[in-house]
Amino acid sequence: MDILFKNSFILTEKLILECRVAFISKWDKFFSLLFLFTSLFGFIYSESNLTTKFISIYLMFMCVYLIFILPTLRSKKMYKRYLAINNYEQLLESVNFYNDIFEVISSNGSRVSISYKNLKKIYNRNNMLIFLCKEDILVFIKKDGFEHGTYNDFKNFILSKSNLRF
C-alpha cells in the first residue's frame, strides 16, 4: 500500500490541552458563562444578605473552575500518564493515511489500524485536527506536521473519505 499522507509530531502537554478543550461543548460553555453572569449579577445586586453573597461567590468560582482550570489540570494529568506509560520519554506519533485505512504508529512500538468508516467526529482546533473514532479512540493530527502531502490536500481527502464536516 502506498502512503497518501503522513503526519508526525511529538505529543506535548500543550497539544493535549488543545485536545481537552475541544471536548467542552459549545452548550456547556454557554450555560456555564450564563450561570457565571447570573451569579455575578446576584452578587452585585443582592441585598447585604451574607448567605446569598457567599453562594454567589461559590457559584462564580465553580464556573471559572469548570471552564478554565479543570481542562488544564486534566491535560496535565493525561500528559503525565502518557509519560509514565512510555518510561518518561517523549512520545512521537506518526499517522499514515492509505486509501482504505489509516494507521497510528507510536514511538513505543504500538500500531493501530482504523478504517475511515470508524470515524465518528472530527474536531478542528487551532493547530490540530482530532479524530474521534468508534470505541472512543482519539487520533491527533497536527496541521503543520505533514511530512508527505499538504494539509489542504489532506483536508479534501479526509472529507471525501469520511463524509464528515469539521
Side-chain angles (χ1 to χ4, degrees), residues 51-152:
T51 306
T52 307
K53 289 196 182 236
F54 176 74
I55 291 172
S56 294
I57 289 172
Y58 176 75
L59 292 176
M60 285 186 286
F61 175 75
M62 289 306 298
C63 290
V64 169
Y65 177 79
L66 290 173
I67 296 171
F68 302 108
I69 299 171
L70 186 63
T72 303
L73 295 175
R74 301 276 299 185
S75 66
K76 286 182 181 187
K77 184 177 179 181
M78 191 177 202
Y79 183 67
K80 286 179 183 176
R81 193 173 339 127
Y82 274 121
L83 285 178
I85 290 170
N86 294 296
N87 297 324
Y88 297 96
E89 295 177 10
Q90 286 190 324
L91 187 64
L92 173 68
E93 287 203 357
S94 295
V95 185
N96 297 334
F97 293 89
Y98 304 100
N99 198 27
D100 298 329
I101 62 168
F102 60 96
E103 185 176 44
V104 181
I105 305 164
S106 297
S107 60
N108 64 4
S110 67
R111 297 174 93 94
V112 177
S113 296
I114 303 170
S115 171
Y116 295 109
K117 296 174 190 171
N118 290 334
L119 284 174
K120 291 183 355 185
K121 186 157 182 151
I122 300 173
Y123 295 94
N124 187 8
R125 303 299 304 159
N126 294 338
N127 300 318
M128 305 192 75
L129 293 176
I130 305 156
F131 293 172
L132 176 60
C133 304
K134 288 184 180 175
E135 299 179 21
D136 294 331
I137 296 172
L138 293 176
V139 178
F140 308 133
I141 308 295
K142 194 166 181 190
K143 290 180 180 178
D144 61 356
F146 283 94
E147 297 174 9
H148 191 278
T150 65
Y151 171 70
N152 289 329

Side-chain angles (χ1 to χ4, degrees), residues 12-68:
T12 64
E13 188 175 328
K14 181 181 175 186
L15 292 178
I16 292 176
L17 175 60
E18 191 171 336
C19 296
R20 296 285 312 170
V21 170
F23 293 103
I24 299 174
S25 75
K26 292 177 183 176
W27 287 109
D28 290 343
K29 290 177 189 175
F30 172 75
F31 286 121
S32 295
L33 288 172
L34 180 67
F35 198 62
L36 177 67
F37 289 125
T38 305
S39 301
L40 182 61
F41 181 78
F43 174 76
I44 293 172
Y45 291 105
S46 69
E47 299 154 9
S48 46
N49 184 349
L50 209 53
T51 306
T52 307
K53 289 196 182 236
F54 176 74
I55 291 172
S56 294
I57 289 172
Y58 176 75
L59 292 176
M60 285 186 286
F61 175 75
M62 289 306 298
C63 290
V64 169
Y65 177 79
L66 290 173
I67 296 171
F68 302 108

